[in-house]
Amino acid sequence: MIDFSPEFLNVLKSAKRVAVLTGAGISAESGVATFRGKEGLWAKFRPEELASADAFMLNSALVWEWYQYRRDIIDKVQPNPGHFALADMEKHFKSFALITQNVDGLHRRAGSQNILELHGNITRNKCFNCGKPFIDEINLDQKKPPCCNCGGKIRPDVVWFGETLPQSEFEMANEASATADLFFAAGTSAIVYPAAGLPMIAKRHGAYLVEINIEPTPLTDMADSFMQGKSGEILPEIVKWLRK
Ligand code: BJW
Ligand code: ZN
């Protein structure tokens, strides 16, 4: 049983508009590696070295290998209690937005409805050149990389460094943050912008800011409540209070 502060419980009980920003940490307990963790096969690469158009142009085979490796994992894993708690939490508020930086689709699989995927979705592909969605199966065992009719290479439909976020999702995320009376940031290192700016927007507009993370981040000093621990343990405890 977690000992939440009376101040937080009051806000939780009276909140009408809630927004949540999630990052890779929320899927860690499902077995999906975070980006900046020290564990794992791909830890020797910084995300900037793989998640960028420059990296793709330089070595598309390496970038595809990373995405294929991650797709294989995501196919096999299941949402964890943190994902399920957020899907449940949505039902308790008049307005609820789940803003995620994750591309793994686990929030949807857990049953969340109002999801804003700021960094795309790893299951989709598009053309590197013209941006057209590519719906055919891709076979990475072929010697040549898959190509679009325009001749452009096919790439995962995710947002890389230096690329803009999907406009309507980002506008809705901004709006949800600016109008929230309670904002949770869960499992994110809060260093990648513009997503990392959303908790600050929420706070500036008067939201009560809660951070859930196993360790402090640049956001911690600004949070009204820092809940240190695993999101898969803390979020279900919060939902228990909503059910009371
Ligand atoms: C747990 C846990 C458990 C573990 N429970 N917690 C200088 C200043 C400001 C901005 C910039 C700058 N230089 C460049 C920029 C812009 C750049 C940026 O922000 N860079 C920073 C690194 C400085 N941003 C961009 O380029 C963005 N676009 C943009 O700005 O467009 C405008 C523009 C256009 C043209 C030119 C210039 C600007 C786009 C950013 C796209 C990020 N893409 C990625 C890859 C997505 C696809 C894919 O998945 O492959 O998104 S990178 C990667 O980082 C991924 C993530 O969504 C994102 C954030 O990472 P996240 O989710 O926070 O994960 P981690 O691993 O960092 O953290 C996990 C956390 O969980 C940790 O804190 C753990 O402690 C915690 N944790 N287990 C709770 N069980
Ligand atoms: Zn094309």
Side-chain angles (χ1 to χ4, degrees):
M1 190 81 179
I2 300 173
D3 206 7
F4 295 116
S5 75
E7 186 189 45
F8 166 67
L9 292 174
N10 271 338
V11 177
L12 183 70
K13 289 283 185 187
S14 60
K16 299 269 178 296
R17 304 181 67 88
V18 175
V20 183
L21 173 69
T22 65
I26 195 128
S27 295
E29 290 157 76
S30 291
V32 182
T34 60
F35 289 92
R36 292 164 184 87
K38 293 186 182 66
E39 307 274 307
L41 205 55
W42 291 89
K44 62 178 193 285
F45 291 96
R46 291 186 310 123
E48 290 82 348
E49 292 175 79
L50 295 165
S52 77
D54 284 350
F56 188 74
M57 280 189 292
L58 212 64
N59 193 345
S60 60
L62 175 75
V63 173
W64 262 121
E65 198 187 328
W66 184 48
Y67 279 97
Q68 198 50 52
Y69 168 78
R70 290 170 57 202
R71 278 180 180 176
D72 289 345
I73 290 173
I74 288 163
D75 276 351
K76 290 189 191 94
V77 301
Q78 299 302 325
N80 68 55
H83 297 107
F84 288 117
L86 289 173
D88 195 343
M89 194 186 275
E90 182 164 11
K91 300 175 193 143
H92 293 268
F93 296 100
K94 188 167 161 252
S95 156
F96 186 91
L98 178 50
I99 307 162
T100 188
Q101 300 168 84
N102 298 346
V103 298
D104 57 28
L106 289 173
H107 285 304
R108 196 166 303 284
R109 282 167 58 191
S112 282
Q113 301 286 316
N114 190 24
I115 307 167
L116 301 169
E117 289 181 321
L118 294 186
H119 293 164
N121 191 297
I122 198 169
T123 59
R124 297 191 306 252
N125 298 309
K126 68 177 183 183
C127 173
F128 182 73
N129 189 32
C130 70
K132 203 170 110 190
F134 186 81
I135 47 170
D136 297 351
E137 282 284 303
I138 59 164
N139 178 2
L140 292 167
D141 298 336
Q142 286 171 352
K143 293 231 159 49
K144 268 172 63 155
C147 278
C148 173
N149 295 339
C150 80
K153 284 184 191 171
I154 299 304
R155 56 164 280 184
D157 189 0
V158 296
V159 181
W160 285 334
F161 284 106
E163 296 181 333
T164 50
L165 276 55
Q167 196 185 347
S168 87
E169 271 86 349
F170 188 57
E171 279 171 7
M172 288 191 277
N174 258 312
E175 169 75 12
S177 305
T179 55
D181 32 41
L182 173 59
F183 190 102
F184 292 95
T188 177
S189 56
I191 56 170
V192 176
Y193 283 81
L198 295 171
M200 299 169 201
I201 291 175
K203 172 98 184 160
R204 218 172 38 238
H205 285 82
Y208 187 91
L209 176 59
V210 178
E211 182 181 38
I212 301 170
N213 202 305
I214 52 171
E215 59 186 33
T217 74
L219 202 60
T220 306
D221 284 346
M222 189 185 297
D224 296 294
S225 176
F226 174 53
M227 300 177 182
Q228 186 157 15
K230 293 181 173 177
S231 46
E233 293 172 3
I234 295 173
L235 286 165
E237 290 288 319
I238 294 175
V239 170
K240 273 190 200 162
W241 276 95
L242 287 170
R243 292 220 189 94
K244 279 186 184 170

